[in-house]
Amino acid sequence: MKKKAVAVMLSIALSAVMLAGCGTDGSAEVAGDATTVEDSGQSDDVAEAEDQDVSDAVQKEEDEADNVESQDAAEEVADDYQSVDVRIGSLKGPTSMGLVYLMDQAKKNEAANNYEFKMAATADELLPSMISGDLDIVLVPANVASVLYNKTEGAVSVIDINTLGVLYIVSGDDTIQSMEDLKGRTVYLTGKGTTPDYVLQYLLKENGLTDDVSLEYKSEAAEVAAVLTETPEVVGVLPQPYVTAACAQNENLSVVLDLTNEWATVQGEGGSSLVTGVTVVRNAFLEENKAAVDKFLEEHAASADYANEHVEEAAELVAAAGIIEKAPVAVKAMPKCNITYIAGSDMKTALSGYLEVLFEQDASSVGGSLPNDDFYYIK
């Protein structure tokens, strides 16, 4: 390109010399009148303008060529990326809802990597496979990720937050409008030592209600939902999508408190978030396949956005995956599931503060100690 520009400029210069140096009699004029001087000046201006126009055109052509070369280079880099086999485990619930679009893309061979997905009812079904190396990435409860980090002596890293708080207080008593209104009541929730238990006990403590609220534990969320359906005036803590299902079965039930909002109120501006699910990678896999993990993060972000922005279409995928039986129920539940994608330093701030709260209540809930900074993958 530069050689072409030089050739054009030389051609212009030679033309100008030939036009200026040849008179009618073959000799150079020594003097001229004012008109001749003015004409000469105007000729110089025209010549300079023409030179500038040509120079601008050449520069534009060079810039366009550089842009094409940059685009070609970017495409070449993209084309050079080689798909990697990535085995992913997730839970049958909100943490998988943000993955369904990527699952669908993988089925159509339209994803960047060769993904293999495994869905389980509990984290206990996934952790042995993660430890043995049969899974590369898992989506699990936030405190379970910390337990896994401690159990493997730092062999895993958290790469994103996929779900924020999904816990709600449900009741047929609409006089409950604040945590203070729980005073003197009995609240039904799932087993002692589970995430709902830690979250509720923390919020009761911060609101000065530890000794004023009785807790009645059930083995699973379905049992809590059954109690609420039979006796709407009682109070229960339920996660999505059980909240939507319970309210659909009994029109007297409704959400009276959002525990994610209550957590934010207690923490204040700049505090931690109520985190439900995170995504964890084996460090051995990350070290060998960093580009593949980064590609997954990009696609996970896009998949989560799709779940939030195209709820009806995503609900069909959720139903097809067996996460929620019927798409109409999924349509109602998904906007309340706090499906998200948070990575980098924002992830570390939100998650580390949440784990600190759990640690203060029960160190064993996070595996005995808080993870070190190397737990958080910040690319």
Side-chain angles (χ1 to χ4, degrees):
M1 181 59 67
K2 292 183 178 179
K3 289 181 178 179
K4 182 177 179 181
V6 171
V8 172
M9 295 300 290
L10 285 173
S11 176
I12 295 169
L14 288 170
S15 298
V17 170
M18 291 174 66
L19 290 171
C22 296
T24 55
D25 59 358
S27 61
E29 295 182 358
V30 176
D33 58 18
T35 301
T36 303
V37 172
E38 288 177 3
D39 289 343
S40 177
Q42 291 175 354
S43 297
D44 290 343
D45 290 343
V46 171
E48 289 177 2
E50 289 176 347
D51 288 349
Q52 185 61 47
D53 288 343
V54 172
S55 179
D56 290 344
V58 169
Q59 184 61 50
K60 181 179 179 180
E61 192 173 341
E62 287 181 347
D63 291 341
E64 290 175 350
D66 288 342
N67 289 335
V68 170
E69 289 175 2
S70 298
Q71 291 173 3
D72 289 343
E75 290 176 2
E76 185 177 347
V77 170
D79 291 339
D80 285 345
Y81 178 75
Q82 298 295 319
S83 294
V84 173
D85 294 334
V86 185
R87 299 161 299 176
I88 300 173
S90 62
L91 297 178
K92 189 177 180 181
T95 56
S96 291
M97 291 179 187
L99 269 183
V100 292
Y101 179 69
L102 179 54
M103 291 178 178
D104 187 56
Q105 294 294 98
K107 286 181 182 178
K108 298 175 181 177
N109 294 319
E110 296 176 358
N113 292 308
N114 303 316
Y115 295 113
E116 177 184 331
F117 295 94
K118 175 183 178 180
M119 200 180 305
T122 67
D124 290 341
E125 297 178 51
L126 300 176
L127 298 188
S129 296
M130 187 68 167
I131 294 172
S132 67
D134 292 331
L135 287 175
D136 306 309
I137 293 174
V138 292
L139 286 74
V140 294
N143 68 308
V144 172
S146 179
V147 171
L148 184 60
Y149 172 86
N150 283 305
K151 189 171 183 177
T152 60
E153 298 181 346
V156 299
S157 296
V158 62
I159 53 179
D160 70 43
I161 294 172
N162 56 62
T163 321
L164 292 175
V166 296
L167 295 174
Y168 298 84
I169 291 185
V170 179
S171 179
D173 186 351
D174 58 9
T175 64
I176 300 174
Q177 299 181 356
S178 68
M179 292 295 295
E180 182 66 25
D181 294 330
L182 295 177
K183 190 172 184 178
R185 305 294 295 265
T186 296
V187 178
Y188 291 82
L189 67 162
T190 51
K192 189 174 180 62
T194 61
T195 298
D197 183 32
Y198 291 130
V199 170
L200 182 58
Q201 294 216 41
Y202 168 69
L203 294 175
L204 291 175
K205 176 185 176 182
E206 293 300 311
N207 284 277
L209 298 170
T210 300
D211 299 324
D212 299 313
V213 177
S214 298
L215 303 181
E216 185 75 27
Y217 296 99
K218 297 294 181 180
S219 61
E220 57 184 34
E223 290 186 36
V224 176
V227 172
L228 289 168
T229 300
E230 294 170 3
T231 316
E233 63 269 18
V234 302
V235 182
V237 175
L238 282 176
Q240 287 289 2
Y242 288 96
V243 173
T244 298
C247 292
Q249 292 175 8
N250 191 329
E251 61 182 11
N252 294 319
L253 293 176
S254 64
V255 171
V256 292
L257 292 176
D258 181 342
L259 295 190
T260 301
N261 292 338
E262 297 301 325
W263 183 285
T265 299
V266 168
Q267 285 285 308
E269 186 176 354
S272 68
S273 300
L274 176 53
V275 180
T276 295
V278 300
T279 307
V280 177
V281 65
R282 287 189 299 110
N283 287 340
F285 181 82
L286 174 61
E287 290 168 4
E288 294 180 4
N289 303 280
K290 183 179 183 301
V293 173
D294 290 344
K295 281 286 184 182
F296 166 76
L297 288 174
E298 292 175 9
E299 294 186 308
H300 192 192
S303 189
D305 285 344
Y306 185 88
N308 289 319
E309 296 171 4
H310 303 277
V311 178
E312 292 188 0
E313 294 87 345
E316 294 290 342
L317 296 175
V318 166
I323 300 170
I324 295 179
E325 185 176 349
K326 296 180 180 179
V329 177
V331 168
K332 293 180 180 179
M334 289 177 65
K336 300 173 184 176
C337 286
N338 281 328
I339 298 166
T340 190
Y341 172 83
I342 303 174
S345 57
D346 290 340
M347 168 193 69
K348 182 178 179 181
T349 298
L351 180 56
S352 61
Y354 172 71
L355 294 177
E356 285 176 9
V357 170
L358 297 187
F359 177 77
E360 290 172 1
Q361 291 188 69
D362 182 0
S364 66
S365 68
V366 296
S369 62
L370 290 171
N372 297 323
D373 286 344
D374 63 354
F375 176 57
Y376 305 93
Y377 174 63
I378 301 176
K379 61 177 182 176

